[in-house]
Amino acid sequence: MTMVGRESESAAVLGVTSGVLILTGEPGAGKSTLLGLAADRHQGRVLRMTGSESEANLTFAGLHQLLRPVLAETARLPGRQRSALLGAMGLGDDFGGGGLGPAKPDNAHLREAEPDGVDTGRGGPPDRLLLGVALLTLLSDLARQSPVLVVADDLQWIDAGSLELLAFAARRIGDEPLAVLAGARDPGEGARGGATAPFSGFPLLTLDPLDATAAGLLLDRQPYPPTGSRRLRILDQAAGNPLALIELARANGACGADSAGSADGELLPPTDRLMRVFAADLEALPEATRQALLLVAADDRAVAGRVEALAPAEAAGLLRITGGGRGGWRARFRHPLIRSAIYHSVPLAARRQAHRDLATLLGAEPDRRAWHLAAAAEGPDEEIAAALEESAARARERGGYTAATTALERAAELSPGRRDRARRLVAAAGAAVSTGQPHWVRRLAAQAAALTDDPELSAEASLRVGQVLTLSTEHDTAMSLLLRAAEDPKLRRVALSSASVAGFYSGDEEYRLAVRARAHDDPWTLTVTDPTAHRSERVAAIPTLVGRADGDPARLISLGAMAWLLDETALAVRIFDDALHRWRLGGSLPIGLGCSAGWSYLDHGRWAQARTAAVNTNSAGAGLPHLDAAARSLEAAALALTGRTDEARAAGSAALSLVDPHRSRAVAVRARWALGMAAVADGDHIGAYEQFRLLFTADGDPVHYACSYPGVAELAAAAVRTGHGAEAAAIVERTADRLAEDPSPRMRILIHRARALLEPSQAEPHFTAALAEPAGGQWPFERAQILLDHAEWLRRRHRITEARHQLNTALETFRRLGAPSWIDRTQAELRAAGVESAPAGPDALTSLSPQQQHIIRLAAQGLSNREIGERLFLSPRTVGSHLYRSFPKLGVTARSQLRDLIEASGQS
């Protein structure tokens, strides 16, 4: 049976057997009812996660709720994944109590010696990728046994850590019978700002208000359908909200009147009206029930010992008692507004007493106890503030930055002294930087600034705001704040480092010079502000800097970015691989640096990994348009190279729409490069020239001091096909002059290619020099392009034998990379050179998608499906599906044959 007025929505929800669907709407729109309908009809296992205000600040509380019924199934997970998952929920490998509590202080239960001797349980926040892969693997394993439906209600009240992990897993659902249905309030309906951001981008089904016909039918189906003027009043007040219609009809039946002159004839604002209706149900309940309701309204886990007292409320339909056993009892209210009405139906003093009573019972759970003490506080209290500060520290250790920020903010409110209040607000701003919410950081920093004139605290507040704004489009503000913070000697280095990133994203020459003038001898800041100056000296310093990083993944990520900027692509990839491996073992990736790894992978020919980096950066959901644009530009580039040009144009255009191209030059230049490559792939040379020309100013200078240069050869290639050779030649020579002091091998190669294309009569030495560059193998796609260009030049001079060799070599690389447009162009050249068909047809391995190729190579190394899935952030089931589809194409029947296949293809 479907819901009145929700027939199409019911069909949509019941039709989800794999994938994700998010229901949104105002409170009372019917989200929970639809989710319940789907759960009741589901022919398999149903796992639930329901948000509650009392646990919104408890890290991984939702995860514990979701997995409590299947904790025994975690025994099948790889040891490191199981340890991480149980540890996040405060359980050890030998969990027995099942209660939600803090993890062991020394994280001992997360430690497991790996074969290579790496300690996977180092102190610090848990690895979110490892947790995400563990959850994905567990859900995939369950789906292999029977279809699985994950129902997540009230996303806005689910703790941020659990929400991010569920979103991570949801984004990687393949074709397995695994579905996620979720409900979330519309923005502005009392939810935490940005709380559901991790679920952005999923398919949405918005529950709009019922129309007049459906609303009338719903009223008619109630036990006491209202009539006359009361009916009109209810229809008007409810405004199509199903829950309001039902509750107002119930109130109408209870009073048994239909008089226009009744006391409630005056209409109330919607929120007050609904609150009044829900609170009215309490009057008929026994006093003991109302007391118990107040406690579970304050904490929906405070059910133990009160089940009997709550029975009348359950019979009245206000709530349901769920759980029991190891996980304990929980109260699930019919609607959040019911809970709010109950909580606010008593005076403030009674609410405070309820929190004090709960705190007394929670001596063994310091985090929950601290929050109840804070809610009961009547004024500043240093002891409670200190307890919240300790709770925040525990949350940060477990990666719960949102919970940590909230705890520190409340601790500041309860601090008796102004300096302690300011100090805790600044600490909260520091934690909030990791949540990626600029408005939150700004507000906290502003509150701190208003409390103190302490220069150190003011400088740190400026630093925190500047850091989070680095990833926004507000580069001017970020630079101003970071340069101000750099005046503090203790913060100078980190502030200038952050400022160099803001300047890089902006591309503004004034910013670049301002930061560089203050950089002194810091190699990172000097490289980011000008990767072309003293390049060889900077490259030589990287190995020493890597040694000093002492395996810290965040520092290694930065050094990988440094190597990438210096065009040491192979070195950058090695550093990134090491850093990301360590990150999976327990590190934490700095926000926003994932894209630099992605561009390195793209340049090095690892396109599937580049797209993975883009997806993971974009799936952070931080509400930062600049970061989203950066991820979209990277994704657009990978899509263009792999021939998915329509998608590439959509992603590239989206990137440009999210930023001001004149103020976010790095992203704009990368997006235009991607759009240009999509045009090249489609054979649209005019469109390609238009995009590549925009990488340089009208005078021929780079729009971005670092990102524009790699497009110079593509500009030349498009120019010779559109009659703009002279203009492009001037830009090429201007670029060569600017880089003459110490050009990278890559730029030497690209300039040689550009000159060869623009000056055909003098092309031979340029082609020869470009192909003879020892470091050229770092950029396989660019090298294959030069081989193709050279072969075309040779064929036109009737040097057919030489051309065929170059073409066959280029074709092999393009096939390995999965570049269909360039494969077609190379095959056309081969036919023009007298080869009627490509030798022996396409190579079997390179006929696969880049992701399938990557999976095959890892399988050939002996990795299991679980291990492959962990590396590529896929479920083992999805990995198995790719292998199942790939084996027939490769002509193999067993994994043991893959190593020989890889070696025979020459692509190992």
Side-chain angles (χ1 to χ4, degrees):
M1 179 178 179
T2 57
M3 298 166 57
V4 175
R6 299 291 189 213
E7 291 77 11
S8 61
E9 292 89 344
S10 297
V13 167
L14 293 173
V16 178
T17 58
S18 181
V20 184
L21 181 64
I22 311 298
L23 307 182
T24 65
E26 65 180 359
K31 302 181 295 295
S32 297
T33 305
L34 280 172
L35 294 176
L37 174 67
D40 291 341
R41 298 280 188 89
H42 186 67
Q43 302 297 313
R45 189 191 296 267
V46 178
L47 299 176
R48 292 180 180 271
M49 178 194 293
T50 302
S52 66
E53 291 185 67
S54 68
E55 294 190 358
N57 297 311
L58 295 180
T59 305
F60 299 129
L63 182 69
H64 182 276
Q65 184 187 160
L66 179 73
L67 299 185
R68 186 188 61 80
V70 293
L71 284 176
E73 301 288 341
T74 61
R76 302 182 183 181
L77 293 175
R80 189 157 53 86
Q81 291 185 16
R82 181 173 189 267
S83 294
L85 203 58
L86 293 178
M89 294 185 288
L91 304 172
D93 286 345
D94 55 348
F95 71 92
L100 181 61
K104 297 177 183 178
D106 63 352
N107 290 331
H109 59 281
L110 294 178
R111 297 183 179 171
E112 177 181 1
E114 292 293 305
D116 60 2
V118 175
D119 182 2
T120 63
R122 297 182 306 159
D127 172 16
R128 291 305 177 90
L129 268 186
L130 179 60
L131 287 173
V133 171
L135 177 60
L136 177 62
T137 303
L138 177 59
L139 293 177
S140 183
D141 284 349
L142 292 172
R144 188 178 296 114
Q145 301 169 29
S146 66
V148 173
L149 174 65
V150 174
V151 176
D153 202 2
D154 285 325
L155 288 184
Q156 72 279 353
W157 296 125
I158 293 175
D159 66 278
S162 299
L163 203 63
E164 289 167 5
L165 293 186
L166 182 59
F168 179 97
R171 291 185 188 279
R172 288 154 181 83
I173 294 175
D175 55 2
E176 57 261 73
L178 170 60
V180 175
L181 288 176
R185 292 188 187 181
D186 282 339
E189 291 288 352
R192 293 171 294 161
T196 60
F199 270 79
S200 62
F202 284 115
L204 291 178
L205 178 60
T206 301
L207 305 186
D208 295 319
L210 300 180
D211 59 30
T213 301
L217 181 58
L218 181 58
L219 283 180
D220 289 339
R221 292 191 178 183
Q222 300 312 304
Y224 302 99
T227 60
S229 61
R230 179 64 62 88
R231 181 184 181 92
L232 295 176
R233 207 176 295 121
I234 289 174
L235 287 171
D236 185 48
Q237 284 185 260
N241 183 292
L243 185 61
L245 287 163
I246 293 169
E247 293 299 334
L248 288 169
R250 175 183 295 177
N252 173 72
C255 70
D258 188 30
S259 167
S262 60
D264 62 349
E266 288 294 321
L267 301 182
L268 300 173
T271 301
D272 292 342
R273 166 176 47 82
L274 289 173
M275 294 281 288
R276 180 179 177 183
V277 168
F278 296 145
D281 291 335
L282 300 177
E283 297 301 323
L285 297 174
E287 175 63 22
T289 300
R290 292 201 299 270
Q291 290 294 327
L293 277 174
L294 176 59
L295 290 173
V296 296
D299 188 333
D300 60 9
R301 293 180 59 194
V303 177
R306 300 179 180 88
V307 174
E308 297 299 326
L310 290 169
E314 189 169 22
L318 292 177
L319 80 172
R320 288 179 58 197
I321 305 300
T322 62
R326 189 161 45 210
W329 299 99
R330 298 181 71 96
R332 179 181 296 172
F333 289 89
R334 189 173 75 245
H335 190 277
L337 288 179
I338 296 176
R339 177 178 185 168
S340 180
I342 293 169
Y343 183 76
H344 291 286
S345 67
V346 301
L348 175 61
R351 298 199 298 270
R352 285 176 172 163
Q353 184 59 51
H355 286 294
R356 280 192 290 268
D357 292 343
L358 290 169
T360 302
L361 299 173
L362 292 170
E365 298 187 55
D367 292 331
R368 291 174 65 197
R369 180 176 184 273
W371 278 106
H372 283 300
L373 287 173
E378 299 182 15
D381 189 312
E382 178 58 28
E383 183 179 347
I384 298 175
L388 281 175
E389 192 168 14
E390 292 173 3
S391 177
R394 288 189 290 270
R396 290 194 71 163
E397 288 174 1
R398 298 170 63 185
Y401 295 109
T402 300
T405 305
T406 306
L408 286 165
E409 185 175 13
R410 179 60 175 148
E413 293 172 358
L414 294 173
S415 301
R418 290 173 63 90
R419 177 171 173 77
D420 281 337
R421 198 177 312 161
R423 175 181 61 79
R424 285 166 174 151
L425 284 169
V426 171
V433 169
S434 297
T435 71
Q437 297 188 45
H439 297 300
W440 200 3
V441 178
R442 268 180 157 158
R443 179 170 59 79
L444 293 166
Q447 290 174 346
L451 287 169
T452 181
D453 55 3
D454 185 314
E456 291 185 6
L457 288 176
S458 297
E460 186 177 352
S462 296
L463 171 67
R464 300 312 182 190
V465 178
Q467 284 178 321
V468 76
L469 292 183
T470 293
L471 299 176
S472 75
T473 55
E474 299 182 56
H475 303 303
D476 294 349
T477 305
M479 288 295 297
S480 175
L481 291 169
L482 291 169
L483 291 178
R484 184 190 309 167
E487 295 174 4
D488 186 324
K490 295 179 181 178
L491 301 177
R492 185 182 66 82
R493 193 178 189 89
V494 66
L496 289 177
S497 176
S498 298
S500 69
V501 176
F504 177 86
Y505 286 145
S506 169
D508 185 273
E509 186 71 2
E510 182 180 345
Y511 291 161
R512 183 179 75 85
L513 294 176
V515 177
R516 190 169 180 79
R518 296 167 170 81
H520 300 301
D521 60 348
D522 180 49
W524 158 260
T525 304
L526 291 171
T527 297
V528 176
T529 52
D530 188 354
T532 64
H534 305 288
R535 196 197 75 87
S536 297
E537 179 183 338
R538 307 280 176 251
V539 171
I542 292 178
T544 300
L545 295 174
V546 169
R548 290 177 184 171
D550 195 28
D552 178 70
R555 294 174 65 185
L556 288 174
I557 287 287
S558 297
L559 293 173
M562 179 178 173
W564 167 64
L565 287 169
L566 293 168
D567 273 338
E568 291 296 312
T569 305
L571 176 59
V573 166
R574 289 197 299 272
I575 295 173
F576 280 129
D577 282 347
D578 182 32
L580 294 174
H581 175 66
R582 293 175 184 274
W583 175 34
R584 295 187 192 101
L585 296 179
S588 181
L589 182 68
I591 294 175
L593 286 182
C595 274
S596 58
W599 282 108
S600 294
Y601 290 137
L602 189 92
D603 293 343
H604 205 48
R606 289 161 62 168
W607 295 348
Q609 285 178 273
R611 282 206 67 198
T612 298
V615 170
N616 285 334
T617 300
N618 191 41
S619 67
L624 297 168
H626 177 86
L627 184 58
D628 192 23
R632 287 174 183 264
S633 65
L634 172 58
E635 184 177 20
L639 289 167
L641 294 173
T642 52
R644 299 164 63 175
T645 53
D646 288 342
E647 295 174 72
R649 278 188 289 273
S653 299
L656 290 173
S657 71
L658 290 168
V659 298
D660 180 346
H662 301 293
R663 301 178 72 82
S664 295
R665 294 176 179 86
V667 169
V669 163
R670 287 296 188 178
R672 295 198 187 284
W673 185 89
L675 292 170
M677 294 308 294
V680 172
D682 285 341
D684 177 12
H685 302 301
I686 294 175
Y689 183 77
E690 290 173 350
Q691 293 296 337
F692 293 129
R693 183 62 184 83
L694 289 172
L695 306 187
F696 299 87
T697 67
D699 296 332
D701 291 328
V703 168
H704 188 276
Y705 63 86
C707 296
S708 291
Y709 291 133
V712 70
E714 295 298 343
L715 173 68
V720 297
R721 291 173 169 83
T722 56
H724 294 90
E727 185 178 24
I731 294 174
V732 170
E733 294 311 313
R734 196 178 185 95
T735 297
D737 289 343
R738 291 176 71 106
L739 301 179
E741 179 183 342
D742 192 7
S744 70
R746 183 186 188 190
M747 288 312 305
R748 287 198 297 268
I749 291 170
L750 293 179
I751 290 172
H752 278 306
R753 181 192 175 205
R755 285 171 168 167
L757 293 172
L758 292 165
E759 307 169 31
S761 62
Q762 304 174 42
E764 183 99 53
H766 291 300
F767 280 129
T768 301
L771 293 171
E773 177 62 55
Q778 296 183 66
W779 308 281
F781 177 71
E782 293 174 356
R783 183 176 178 82
Q785 284 182 296
I786 297 171
L787 288 167
L788 176 56
D789 291 337
H790 191 198
E792 290 176 338
W793 184 88
L794 290 169
R795 183 182 62 77
R796 286 173 174 79
R797 281 149 186 79
H798 309 291
R799 295 162 63 178
I800 304 300
T801 301
E802 296 173 79
R804 288 174 181 169
H805 174 72
Q806 303 279 54
L807 290 169
N808 283 325
T809 304
L811 182 60
E812 180 181 343
T813 300
F814 288 138
R815 282 176 169 167
R816 173 169 58 84
L817 295 172
S821 298
W822 287 268
I823 292 172
D824 292 344
R825 181 179 155 197
T826 307
Q827 289 177 328
E829 277 296 315
L830 277 167
R831 288 191 294 272
V835 180
E836 292 301 324
S837 61
D843 178 87
L845 181 62
T846 55
S847 67
L848 305 178
S849 71
Q851 186 177 66
Q852 288 172 331
Q853 292 179 44
H854 199 180
I855 289 172
I856 290 295
R857 291 191 181 90
L858 293 175
Q861 296 173 22
L863 274 68
S864 68
N865 288 5
R866 290 181 186 277
E867 292 168 328
I868 295 171
E870 186 171 320
R871 289 199 182 190
L872 302 184
F873 320 129
L874 302 170
S875 74
R877 184 183 180 89
T878 300
V879 172
S881 178
H882 280 304
L883 290 171
Y884 177 79
R885 291 195 292 265
S886 300
F887 274 27
K889 298 177 183 179
L890 299 175
V892 300
T893 58
R895 298 170 85 103
S896 58
Q897 298 172 274
L898 293 177
R899 184 184 295 274
D900 292 340
L901 177 77
I902 296 292
E903 291 177 352
S905 70
Q907 297 176 30
S908 57

